[in-house]
Structure formats: structure tokens, C-alpha cells
Amino acid sequence: RVRVARGVRLPTRSEGGTPAIMGDIRAGVAFLEAIGFVPVAVYWSTTDPDLLDHAEFSWPGGGGLMCGSAAREPDHGYERRAGAASVYCVLPTDAAVEEVYAQALAAGGIGAVEPYDPDYGGRNGTVRDVEGNQWSFGSYAGHGAAPEA
């Protein structure tokens, strides 16, 4: 069972509910922090110090990410394997896209799509982390939405 924080019961591994995208979770957490995510709640396994049962990260300007260690085998038909995620992170300006893209490369990310100006607006660039997860950084927040500066 996962530890409880602030009176909230989190799901156990057997119940699912925790998206898992990282095999080397300590490197993954370091990568997330390097590109600007801020840890809010982190629950390491009490039986295996190399397993992260659940973590929550906030993103500057709003939004967040939940993740954990990749499952060693499918759980109730849900396969949680490393390298399968594709995440779009909204940034307040085109300059911020360039900055976070560079931070991601400096943190070990591999350039997939250099920053460019898509037809629908804003600026967008994509890197892959060492596990193969894709991280896109863009200033386009969607119609009717705008990131907080």
C-alpha cells in the first residue's frame, strides 16, 4: 500500500491509476526537475528503494504531471512500460520554448524536432528523454486557453 499524504488515499500498484513512464526513475525525476517540473508529492516504495509508487509534479504556469516507475509486468491488462509517453508542456512565450528545449538537451534529452513555428500558431520543439518518452514544449495553449506568465 502507498503511504497517505494529507489524508488522501492513493491507489496501490494493484489498483492501477498511477501512470508509469520511466524505467530509471531517479534519472527520470532529475530530468523532470531540470526542465522545470516541481515535485509536489513523491511516494517511494517502502519495500524497494528503486521503485517510485507515485509522484506528482507541478508545471510553472499551471498543469502538472503524475508518474511512477514502470511496472515489471502488466497489471490488470494495463501495460506500464518506459518510453511510451508523449507529453506537451505549454510555456508562456516563444523564448521560453527555446530556453526549456535547451535545458532538456543539457539534461540528456535527445533532439527530436528543433523549435519551429507551426501553422496553427506559437512555437514548438520536441525532445526524447533517455527512455524514449517524447516531451514537446510549445507556446500554443490551444484555442481559448492561455498560459499564465
Side-chain angles (χ1 to χ4, degrees), residues 90-128:
V90 177
L91 293 161
T93 65
D94 292 351
V97 172
E98 298 287 342
E99 181 181 334
V100 174
Y101 181 85
Q103 289 171 336
L105 293 178
I110 301 158
V113 178
E114 290 188 15
Y116 72 103
D117 298 319
D119 293 339
Y120 51 82
R123 189 143 180 86
N124 186 48
T126 303
V127 300
R128 288 186 182 91

Side-chain angles (χ1 to χ4, degrees), residues 8-82:
V8 176
R9 183 182 167 278
L10 296 173
T12 65
R13 290 185 148 268
S14 63
E15 293 173 320
T18 303
I21 58 173
M22 299 169 193
D24 182 348
I25 194 65
R26 292 189 189 279
V29 167
F31 180 81
L32 292 174
E33 290 178 353
I35 63 175
F37 281 95
V38 178
V40 176
V42 179
Y43 302 92
W44 292 98
S45 169
T46 57
T47 58
D48 184 341
D50 293 324
L51 289 180
L52 180 61
D53 286 326
H54 177 82
E56 300 173 20
F57 293 84
S58 65
W59 181 247
L65 173 77
M66 293 186 198
C67 65
S69 294
R72 297 205 171 21
E73 57 188 65
D75 188 7
H76 291 88
Y78 179 71
E79 185 177 354
R80 297 178 297 191
R81 61 185 170 87

